[in-house]
Amino acid sequence: MILWTNATFYSMEDCLLTYDKVLTEEGIIVALGNDTLKYSNYQTVDLKGSYVFPGFSESHLHLIGYGRKLFSNNLKLDINKESVLAKIKKFYKNEKLLIEGYINIGITKDDLDLISSDDIIILRHNDYHSFTVNSKVLEMLNIKNSNGIILDDLVSSKITKVWESNDKVMLTKITDYAIKDLKKLGFTSVHTDDLSYFNSYDETIEILNLLSKTNNFRINTLIHYSVLDSFIKYYPNNKLLNPIQIKVFYDGTLSSKTALISENYVNSNSNGKRYITDKDFLNLLKKARSLSKGLAIHTIGDLAFSEVIKLLSLEKKVSEMDRIVHGSLASDDLILELENIAIDIQPHFVKSDKEVIRKNINHQTNIYPFDKYNKKVLINTSSDAPVEDPNPLLNMYELNNISRFDMIKSYTINPYLTINKKGGLIKEGYYADFTCFDKDIMKIEKEELLDTKVLYTIIDEKM
């Protein structure tokens, strides 16, 4: 047993309930406060006056992709064309060149060919769904009549395969790096979408299985619908690795004008795109229900959101929640209908998408209505890393119109309610996972969040 002392422990059952000590055994909380006095023969750990919360969960990211971003050449959203081209030229070392952090500022294959037309050059746009490439890539994939700016998702999927071509050793290395970085940020668990993007399901799940153990880190894997049959055949038995909802894309993105919205985009005869038919969606939903699983649906446009909620209502729910990934736009009528569902929100998107929305959407709808969602359903704050920075303190700084208690709930109890697991509270019977800060994030002013530090990340009793 371990007695954790000299700290303020927020239970997260309500905003005022705290304890001065917590006793744990075999990875589970067994006593709180004065109830710990009933026990003896324990090891004592001094937490140095820190403010302790249930272990934080990053509820929507791409773990391996985040690791790759940490290792990659990155333009860091530079929007000066001359500066961007100079950086690309500096990055180029007479070999295949993959670059992240690019905003589509009109660079074409002709610009990239001046740097090299002999080696692959791929710029991944900041929405992570589109690319700009040089002639070498277009020729290799037999893509004709293109200026190198690839916004079409079917064509993008071909480039994604080139982008993701890494060997197992490298994938393991970058994933290990990502986990270590996330632990420094205070995360004790993640909900991640990785299983369909790399060399194979079997190899990816093997990497995650290994690294969850060697890093003592809880990895909850979304099951992309394309690898569902592989998942049914095999999934490792490991308490730190857990399969959660089945992931499916319903629509696209705002920047590529493929998110499905209620009216046409400005200066366009299109209102976006459905990526799955009603029939296929319902078949997948029935299969998920037969496995007692929920769906995690990439849903950005308001029309997409409305259609998804109607389709979900056609099948009886199970104990594992359905969840909406993003939920960027929503009508008032739809929000009134919401119940028994989770929404994975990304506060950084408000700033990132502001200009795209201003230029391309003019119909009346709610845009990132986090406060309205919070009154109706579970919200989970996340980053969609590598798309945005996963630092929870930065996300909490960006998250407006929600109380500090609700912000912290969106990182603690809510993600665990979403996957029906006993974590996210400092309460008897719950995981001995803690995130310890040097300041009281429940009470400090908003600006102080940016100066707050994680002192300790504790997972399964291990610091």
Side-chain angles (χ1 to χ4, degrees), residues 144-392:
K144 301 184 183 301
N145 302 317
S146 172
N147 65 356
I149 302 174
I150 309 298
L151 303 178
D152 181 271
D153 287 276
L154 290 177
V155 182
S156 290
S157 65
K158 297 179 182 179
I159 298 169
T160 300
K161 291 178 181 178
V162 179
W163 179 274
E164 307 293 6
S165 60
N166 293 286
D167 62 28
K168 184 179 178 182
V169 172
M170 178 54 73
L171 291 176
T172 303
K173 180 179 179 180
I174 64 177
T175 308
D176 182 68
Y177 194 83
I179 291 170
K180 287 178 168 58
D181 184 78
L182 290 164
K183 288 168 80 171
K184 289 178 183 177
L185 295 175
F187 289 113
T188 62
S189 75
V190 294
H191 300 185
T192 185
D193 178 15
D194 292 291
L195 297 182
S196 70
Y197 302 110
F198 300 94
N199 298 336
S200 70
Y201 167 85
D202 288 343
E203 181 177 287
T204 304
I205 201 67
E206 186 178 338
I207 291 169
L208 298 179
N209 185 36
L210 170 68
L211 293 179
S212 66
K213 295 174 183 177
T214 57
N215 284 284
N216 190 49
F217 191 66
R218 300 189 193 278
I219 301 177
N220 302 284
T221 60
L222 289 169
I223 311 301
H224 194 280
Y225 75 96
S226 66
V227 297
L228 183 54
D229 290 339
S230 296
F231 158 72
I232 292 169
K233 290 178 183 176
Y234 170 69
Y235 194 90
N237 182 19
N238 170 4
K239 73 173 186 176
L240 293 169
L241 188 70
N242 177 47
I244 53 174
Q245 287 86 354
I246 297 167
K247 175 73 180 292
V248 61
F249 282 79
Y250 194 85
D251 68 344
T253 65
L254 292 168
S255 58
S256 65
K257 299 184 182 180
T258 52
L260 188 64
I261 61 176
S262 298
E263 298 181 15
N264 286 349
Y265 287 93
V266 174
N267 299 322
S268 172
N269 60 0
S270 169
N271 69 328
K273 186 175 179 180
R274 292 175 188 82
Y275 282 74
I276 186 169
T277 65
D278 287 0
K279 180 181 178 180
D280 287 343
F281 186 95
L282 288 172
N283 285 339
L284 179 62
L285 181 59
K286 288 176 182 176
K287 192 167 186 177
R289 296 300 190 250
S290 73
L291 298 168
S292 298
K293 300 203 74 62
L295 292 186
I297 310 112
H298 169 106
T299 309
I300 288 184
D302 50 359
L303 181 56
F305 201 164
S306 179
E307 292 180 359
V308 163
I309 294 300
K310 288 176 183 175
L311 290 167
L312 289 173
S313 71
L314 299 178
E315 286 289 327
K316 186 177 180 180
K317 294 184 182 295
V318 292
S319 59
E320 186 178 69
M321 276 191 175
D322 296 311
R323 63 202 296 176
I324 298 297
V325 180
H326 307 312
S328 305
L329 309 179
S331 68
D332 283 330
D333 289 343
L334 172 66
I335 292 172
L336 289 174
E337 293 178 20
L338 294 177
E339 60 181 6
N340 193 29
I341 200 167
I343 303 179
D344 301 336
I345 66 168
Q346 296 79 36
H348 284 308
F349 281 11
V350 176
K351 186 183 295 182
S352 300
D353 289 341
K354 182 177 181 181
E355 194 63 14
V356 170
I357 290 171
R358 185 188 69 80
K359 289 180 177 178
N360 295 304
I361 294 176
N362 60 13
H363 69 280
Q364 290 296 313
T365 189
N366 292 290
I367 299 169
Y368 294 113
F370 302 147
D371 54 336
K372 293 183 179 180
Y373 290 158
N374 189 51
K375 293 181 179 73
K376 295 288 293 180
V377 296
L378 289 178
I379 61 165
N380 302 316
T381 300
S382 62
S383 64
D384 201 15
V387 179
E388 300 286 357
D389 189 328
N391 187 332

Side-chain angles (χ1 to χ4, degrees), residues 446-457:
K446 177 180 176 179
E447 296 298 327
E448 288 187 82
L449 289 170
L450 301 179
D451 298 320
T452 300
K453 294 179 175 58
V454 175
L455 296 180
Y456 312 109
T457 302

